[in-house]
Every structure is written in C-alpha cells, then in structure tokens.
PDB file of all heavy atoms in Angstrom:
ATOM      1  N   LEU N   1     115.061 151.653 131.172  1.00 92.00           N
ATOM      2  CA  LEU N   1     114.913 151.645 129.762  1.00 92.00           C
ATOM      3  C   LEU N   1     113.779 150.773 129.386  1.00 92.00           C
ATOM      4  O   LEU N   1     113.801 149.549 129.712  1.00 92.00           O
ATOM      5  CB  LEU N   1     116.271 151.329 129.093  1.00 92.00           C
ATOM      6  CG  LEU N   1     116.335 151.503 127.664  1.00 92.00           C
ATOM      7  CD1 LEU N   1     117.678 151.692 127.281  1.00 92.00           C
ATOM      8  CD2 LEU N   1     115.663 150.450 126.858  1.00 92.00           C
ATOM      9  N   GLU N   2     112.834 151.122 128.675  1.00 90.00           N
ATOM     10  CA  GLU N   2     111.719 150.421 128.100  1.00 90.00           C
ATOM     11  C   GLU N   2     111.526 150.666 126.635  1.00 90.00           C
ATOM     12  O   GLU N   2     111.454 151.975 126.331  1.00 90.00           O
ATOM     13  CB  GLU N   2     110.422 150.566 128.924  1.00 90.00           C
ATOM     14  CG  GLU N   2     110.495 150.124 130.382  1.00 90.00           C
ATOM     15  CD  GLU N   2     109.291 150.222 131.130  1.00 90.00           C
ATOM     16  OE1 GLU N   2     108.268 150.681 130.551  1.00 90.00           O
ATOM     17  OE2 GLU N   2     109.192 149.996 132.348  1.00 90.00           O
ATOM     18  N   LEU N   3     111.259 149.648 125.930  1.00 94.00           N
ATOM     19  CA  LEU N   3     110.937 149.872 124.526  1.00 94.00           C
ATOM     20  C   LEU N   3     109.535 150.470 124.366  1.00 94.00           C
ATOM     21  O   LEU N   3     108.625 150.183 125.272  1.00 94.00           O
ATOM     22  CB  LEU N   3     111.024 148.624 123.615  1.00 94.00           C
ATOM     23  CG  LEU N   3     112.430 148.077 123.469  1.00 94.00           C
ATOM     24  CD1 LEU N   3     112.334 146.725 122.785  1.00 94.00           C
ATOM     25  CD2 LEU N   3     113.303 149.040 122.678  1.00 94.00           C
ATOM     26  N   PRO N   4     109.160 151.203 123.312  1.00 93.00           N
ATOM     27  CA  PRO N   4     107.781 151.622 123.104  1.00 93.00           C
ATOM     28  C   PRO N   4     106.761 150.475 123.081  1.00 93.00           C
ATOM     29  O   PRO N   4     107.206 149.458 122.696  1.00 93.00           O
ATOM     30  CB  PRO N   4     107.799 152.415 121.798  1.00 93.00           C
ATOM     31  CG  PRO N   4     109.306 152.853 121.684  1.00 93.00           C
ATOM     32  CD  PRO N   4     110.149 151.730 122.324  1.00 93.00           C
ATOM     33  N   GLU N   5     105.624 150.611 123.659  1.00 94.00           N
ATOM     34  CA  GLU N   5     104.628 149.601 123.742  1.00 94.00           C
ATOM     35  C   GLU N   5     104.435 148.925 122.321  1.00 94.00           C
ATOM     36  O   GLU N   5     104.273 149.590 121.316  1.00 94.00           O
ATOM     37  CB  GLU N   5     103.377 150.061 124.238  1.00 94.00           C
ATOM     38  CG  GLU N   5     102.263 149.033 124.454  1.00 94.00           C
ATOM     39  CD  GLU N   5     100.943 149.567 125.087  1.00 94.00           C
ATOM     40  OE1 GLU N   5     101.030 150.853 125.350  1.00 94.00           O
ATOM     41  OE2 GLU N   5     100.050 148.831 125.216  1.00 94.00           O
ATOM     42  N   GLY N   6     104.454 147.607 122.253  1.00 96.00           N
ATOM     43  CA  GLY N   6     104.122 146.880 121.084  1.00 96.00           C
ATOM     44  C   GLY N   6     105.359 146.597 120.193  1.00 96.00           C
ATOM     45  O   GLY N   6     105.124 145.915 119.223  1.00 96.00           O
ATOM     46  N   CYS N   7     106.496 147.181 120.556  1.00 97.00           N
ATOM     47  CA  CYS N   7     107.590 147.066 119.621  1.00 97.00           C
ATOM     48  C   CYS N   7     108.364 145.685 119.881  1.00 97.00           C
ATOM     49  O   CYS N   7     109.346 145.691 120.627  1.00 97.00           O
ATOM     50  CB  CYS N   7     108.679 148.184 119.822  1.00 97.00           C
ATOM     51  SG  CYS N   7     108.040 149.702 119.133  1.00 97.00           S
ATOM     52  N   HIS N   8     107.845 144.665 119.397  1.00 97.00           N
ATOM     53  CA  HIS N   8     108.308 143.291 119.594  1.00 97.00           C
ATOM     54  C   HIS N   8     109.125 142.737 118.498  1.00 97.00           C
ATOM     55  O   HIS N   8     109.506 141.608 118.431  1.00 97.00           O
ATOM     56  CB  HIS N   8     107.153 142.325 119.924  1.00 97.00           C
ATOM     57  CG  HIS N   8     106.248 142.772 120.969  1.00 97.00           C
ATOM     58  ND1 HIS N   8     106.756 143.107 122.325  1.00 97.00           N
ATOM     59  CD2 HIS N   8     104.884 142.926 121.070  1.00 97.00           C
ATOM     60  CE1 HIS N   8     105.722 143.437 123.053  1.00 97.00           C
ATOM     61  NE2 HIS N   8     104.619 143.412 122.384  1.00 97.00           N
ATOM     62  N   ARG N   9     109.459 143.578 117.411  1.00 98.00           N
ATOM     63  CA  ARG N   9     110.206 143.212 116.280  1.00 98.00           C
ATOM     64  C   ARG N   9     111.398 144.101 116.150  1.00 98.00           C
ATOM     65  O   ARG N   9     111.202 145.349 116.463  1.00 98.00           O
ATOM     66  CB  ARG N   9     109.379 143.164 115.050  1.00 98.00           C
ATOM     67  CG  ARG N   9     108.342 142.035 114.975  1.00 98.00           C
ATOM     68  CD  ARG N   9     108.969 140.699 114.673  1.00 98.00           C
ATOM     69  NE  ARG N   9     108.031 139.626 114.424  1.00 98.00           N
ATOM     70  CZ  ARG N   9     107.507 138.965 115.466  1.00 98.00           C
ATOM     71  NH1 ARG N   9     107.806 139.268 116.637  1.00 98.00           N
ATOM     72  NH2 ARG N   9     106.597 137.978 115.069  1.00 98.00           N
ATOM     73  N   ALA N  10     112.415 143.626 115.637  1.00 98.00           N
ATOM     74  CA  ALA N  10     113.672 144.422 115.315  1.00 98.00           C
ATOM     75  C   ALA N  10     114.100 144.199 113.893  1.00 98.00           C
ATOM     76  O   ALA N  10     114.206 142.987 113.587  1.00 98.00           O
ATOM     77  CB  ALA N  10     114.742 144.270 116.305  1.00 98.00           C
ATOM     78  N   VAL N  11     114.229 145.181 113.112  1.00 98.00           N
ATOM     79  CA  VAL N  11     114.820 145.071 111.774  1.00 98.00           C
ATOM     80  C   VAL N  11     116.330 145.266 111.997  1.00 98.00           C
ATOM     81  O   VAL N  11     116.782 146.324 112.393  1.00 98.00           O
ATOM     82  CB  VAL N  11     114.337 146.022 110.807  1.00 98.00           C
ATOM     83  CG1 VAL N  11     114.888 145.762 109.444  1.00 98.00           C
ATOM     84  CG2 VAL N  11     112.836 146.007 110.655  1.00 98.00           C
ATOM     85  N   VAL N  12     117.107 144.218 111.764  1.00 98.00           N
ATOM     86  CA  VAL N  12     118.532 144.180 112.113  1.00 98.00           C
ATOM     87  C   VAL N  12     119.362 144.382 110.818  1.00 98.00           C
ATOM     88  O   VAL N  12     119.102 143.580 109.830  1.00 98.00           O
ATOM     89  CB  VAL N  12     119.018 142.970 112.825  1.00 98.00           C
ATOM     90  CG1 VAL N  12     120.434 143.044 113.347  1.00 98.00           C
ATOM     91  CG2 VAL N  12     118.066 142.591 114.041  1.00 98.00           C
ATOM     92  N   VAL N  13     120.290 145.359 110.785  1.00 98.00           N
ATOM     93  CA  VAL N  13     121.004 145.578 109.642  1.00 98.00           C
ATOM     94  C   VAL N  13     122.559 145.416 109.871  1.00 98.00           C
ATOM     95  O   VAL N  13     123.108 145.767 110.946  1.00 98.00           O
ATOM     96  CB  VAL N  13     120.795 147.037 109.200  1.00 98.00           C
ATOM     97  CG1 VAL N  13     121.802 147.516 108.177  1.00 98.00           C
ATOM     98  CG2 VAL N  13     119.418 147.259 108.664  1.00 98.00           C
ATOM     99  N   ALA N  14     123.222 144.852 108.950  1.00 98.00           N
ATOM    100  CA  ALA N  14     124.648 144.686 109.031  1.00 98.00           C
ATOM    101  C   ALA N  14     125.393 145.477 107.891  1.00 98.00           C
ATOM    102  O   ALA N  14     124.813 145.448 106.794  1.00 98.00           O
ATOM    103  CB  ALA N  14     125.183 143.253 108.885  1.00 98.00           C
ATOM    104  N   LEU N  15     126.366 146.269 108.129  1.00 98.00           N
ATOM    105  CA  LEU N  15     127.127 147.064 107.211  1.00 98.00           C
ATOM    106  C   LEU N  15     128.493 146.706 107.233  1.00 98.00           C
ATOM    107  O   LEU N  15     129.247 146.690 108.162  1.00 98.00           O
ATOM    108  CB  LEU N  15     126.866 148.578 107.596  1.00 98.00           C
ATOM    109  CG  LEU N  15     125.456 149.102 107.739  1.00 98.00           C
ATOM    110  CD1 LEU N  15     125.389 150.311 108.723  1.00 98.00           C
ATOM    111  CD2 LEU N  15     124.918 149.460 106.360  1.00 98.00           C
ATOM    112  N   ALA N  16     128.975 146.337 105.973  1.00 97.00           N
ATOM    113  CA  ALA N  16     130.292 145.797 105.886  1.00 97.00           C
ATOM    114  C   ALA N  16     131.365 146.892 105.872  1.00 97.00           C
ATOM    115  O   ALA N  16     131.104 148.001 105.351  1.00 97.00           O
ATOM    116  CB  ALA N  16     130.497 145.007 104.555  1.00 97.00           C
ATOM    117  N   MET N  17     132.550 146.621 106.521  1.00 97.00           N
ATOM    118  CA  MET N  17     133.585 147.671 106.439  1.00 97.00           C
ATOM    119  C   MET N  17     134.597 147.304 105.368  1.00 97.00           C
ATOM    120  O   MET N  17     134.662 146.039 104.912  1.00 97.00           O
ATOM    121  CB  MET N  17     134.277 147.628 107.866  1.00 97.00           C
ATOM    122  CG  MET N  17     133.322 148.115 108.871  1.00 97.00           C
ATOM    123  SD  MET N  17     134.068 148.070 110.617  1.00 97.00           S
ATOM    124  CE  MET N  17     134.003 146.321 111.004  1.00 97.00           C
ATOM    125  N   ASP N  18     135.462 148.323 104.974  1.00 96.00           N
ATOM    126  CA  ASP N  18     136.315 148.028 103.882  1.00 96.00           C
ATOM    127  C   ASP N  18     137.414 146.973 104.181  1.00 96.00           C
ATOM    128  O   ASP N  18     138.133 146.990 105.161  1.00 96.00           O
ATOM    129  CB  ASP N  18     137.163 149.360 103.700  1.00 96.00           C
ATOM    130  CG  ASP N  18     138.064 149.385 102.471  1.00 96.00           C
ATOM    131  OD1 ASP N  18     139.040 148.604 102.472  1.00 96.00           O
ATOM    132  OD2 ASP N  18     137.658 150.070 101.512  1.00 96.00           O
ATOM    133  N   TYR N  19     137.415 145.937 103.336  1.00 95.00           N
ATOM    134  CA  TYR N  19     138.247 144.772 103.569  1.00 95.00           C
ATOM    135  C   TYR N  19     139.704 145.095 103.612  1.00 95.00           C
ATOM    136  O   TYR N  19     140.429 144.723 104.480  1.00 95.00           O
ATOM    137  CB  TYR N  19     137.964 143.689 102.550  1.00 95.00           C
ATOM    138  CG  TYR N  19     138.846 142.535 102.493  1.00 95.00           C
ATOM    139  CD1 TYR N  19     138.815 141.609 103.539  1.00 95.00           C
ATOM    140  CD2 TYR N  19     139.793 142.297 101.462  1.00 95.00           C
ATOM    141  CE1 TYR N  19     139.676 140.483 103.545  1.00 95.00           C
ATOM    142  CE2 TYR N  19     140.756 141.175 101.448  1.00 95.00           C
ATOM    143  CZ  TYR N  19     140.644 140.282 102.533  1.00 95.00           C
ATOM    144  OH  TYR N  19     141.491 139.161 102.557  1.00 95.00           O
ATOM    145  N   GLU N  20     140.217 145.876 102.644  1.00 94.00           N
ATOM    146  CA  GLU N  20     141.640 146.189 102.484  1.00 94.00           C
ATOM    147  C   GLU N  20     142.068 147.101 103.674  1.00 94.00           C
ATOM    148  O   GLU N  20     143.211 146.976 104.146  1.00 94.00           O
ATOM    149  CB  GLU N  20     141.920 146.816 101.115  1.00 94.00           C
ATOM    150  CG  GLU N  20     141.686 145.920  99.973  1.00 94.00           C
ATOM    151  CD  GLU N  20     142.676 144.749 100.068  1.00 94.00           C
ATOM    152  OE1 GLU N  20     143.693 144.729 100.552  1.00 94.00           O
ATOM    153  OE2 GLU N  20     142.391 143.702  99.298  1.00 94.00           O
ATOM    154  N   ALA N  21     141.209 148.060 103.994  1.00 96.00           N
ATOM    155  CA  ALA N  21     141.586 149.009 105.110  1.00 96.00           C
ATOM    156  C   ALA N  21     141.689 148.213 106.437  1.00 96.00           C
ATOM    157  O   ALA N  21     142.525 148.543 107.233  1.00 96.00           O
ATOM    158  CB  ALA N  21     140.516 150.106 105.281  1.00 96.00           C
ATOM    159  N   MET N  22     140.773 147.274 106.632  1.00 96.00           N
ATOM    160  CA  MET N  22     140.627 146.494 107.932  1.00 96.00           C
ATOM    161  C   MET N  22     141.990 145.733 108.110  1.00 96.00           C
ATOM    162  O   MET N  22     142.261 145.276 109.108  1.00 96.00           O
ATOM    163  CB  MET N  22     139.536 145.737 108.079  1.00 96.00           C
ATOM    164  CG  MET N  22     138.173 146.592 108.125  1.00 96.00           C
ATOM    165  SD  MET N  22     138.164 147.690 109.602  1.00 96.00           S
ATOM    166  CE  MET N  22     137.933 146.468 110.962  1.00 96.00           C
ATOM    167  N   ARG N  23     142.518 145.251 106.917  1.00 95.00           N
ATOM    168  CA  ARG N  23     143.773 144.553 107.052  1.00 95.00           C
ATOM    169  C   ARG N  23     144.917 145.204 107.629  1.00 95.00           C
ATOM    170  O   ARG N  23     145.999 144.530 107.812  1.00 95.00           O
ATOM    171  CB  ARG N  23     144.119 143.867 105.613  1.00 95.00           C
ATOM    172  CG  ARG N  23     143.012 142.886 105.021  1.00 95.00           C
ATOM    173  CD  ARG N  23     143.470 142.297 103.782  1.00 95.00           C
ATOM    174  NE  ARG N  23     144.553 141.251 104.058  1.00 95.00           N
ATOM    175  CZ  ARG N  23     145.181 140.599 103.102  1.00 95.00           C
ATOM    176  NH1 ARG N  23     144.958 140.903 101.798  1.00 95.00           N
ATOM    177  NH2 ARG N  23     145.994 139.734 103.335  1.00 95.00           N
ATOM    178  N   SER N  24     144.834 146.485 107.880  1.00 96.00           N
ATOM    179  CA  SER N  24     145.976 147.275 108.422  1.00 96.00           C
ATOM    180  C   SER N  24     145.810 147.395 109.917  1.00 96.00           C
ATOM    181  O   SER N  24     146.696 148.057 110.545  1.00 96.00           O
ATOM    182  CB  SER N  24     146.005 148.623 107.794  1.00 96.00           C
ATOM    183  OG  SER N  24     144.891 149.391 108.280  1.00 96.00           O
ATOM    184  N   SER N  25     144.743 146.921 110.534  1.00 96.00           N
ATOM    185  CA  SER N  25     144.594 146.980 112.020  1.00 96.00           C
ATOM    186  C   SER N  25     145.789 146.479 112.708  1.00 96.00           C
ATOM    187  O   SER N  25     146.356 145.416 112.286  1.00 96.00           O
ATOM    188  CB  SER N  25     143.356 146.261 112.379  1.00 96.00           C
ATOM    189  OG  SER N  25     143.113 146.337 113.833  1.00 96.00           O
ATOM    190  N   PRO N  26     146.241 147.104 113.790  1.00 95.00           N
ATOM    191  CA  PRO N  26     145.600 148.207 114.513  1.00 95.00           C
ATOM    192  C   PRO N  26     145.925 149.602 114.211  1.00 95.00           C
ATOM    193  O   PRO N  26     146.211 150.497 115.059  1.00 95.00           O
ATOM    194  CB  PRO N  26     145.898 147.870 115.978  1.00 95.00           C
ATOM    195  CG  PRO N  26     147.297 147.318 115.901  1.00 95.00           C
ATOM    196  CD  PRO N  26     147.361 146.658 114.533  1.00 95.00           C
ATOM    197  N   THR N  27     146.043 150.011 112.940  1.00 94.00           N
ATOM    198  CA  THR N  27     146.457 151.408 112.501  1.00 94.00           C
ATOM    199  C   THR N  27     145.255 152.329 112.511  1.00 94.00           C
ATOM    200  O   THR N  27     144.086 151.835 112.455  1.00 94.00           O
ATOM    201  CB  THR N  27     147.106 151.437 111.147  1.00 94.00           C
ATOM    202  OG1 THR N  27     146.127 151.025 110.154  1.00 94.00           O
ATOM    203  CG2 THR N  27     148.263 150.400 111.107  1.00 94.00           C
TER     204      THR N  27
END
C-alpha cells in the first residue's frame, strides 16, 4: 500500500456520536 505521490498532508475529521444513545452501550 502506497499513498499517491506528494500526499504528505491529511485532513482529519472527527464526527460525534449521539450522547444519549451511547449511554445505553452495549445495546
């Protein structure tokens, strides 16, 4: 696996999950 030539930057994104729904884990 190799990245395309010159791709030395990454735009990193975080996406939040539903707070109330996650409090029911591990359902």
Side-chain angles (χ1 to χ4, degrees):
L1 189 157
E2 294 183 2
L3 290 176
E5 185 178 355
C7 289
H8 304 308
R9 290 286 188 270
V11 184
V12 188
V13 167
L15 300 157
M17 296 178 286
D18 188 290
Y19 173 68
E20 295 296 339
M22 294 300 289
R23 294 187 74 187
S24 71
S25 181
T27 67

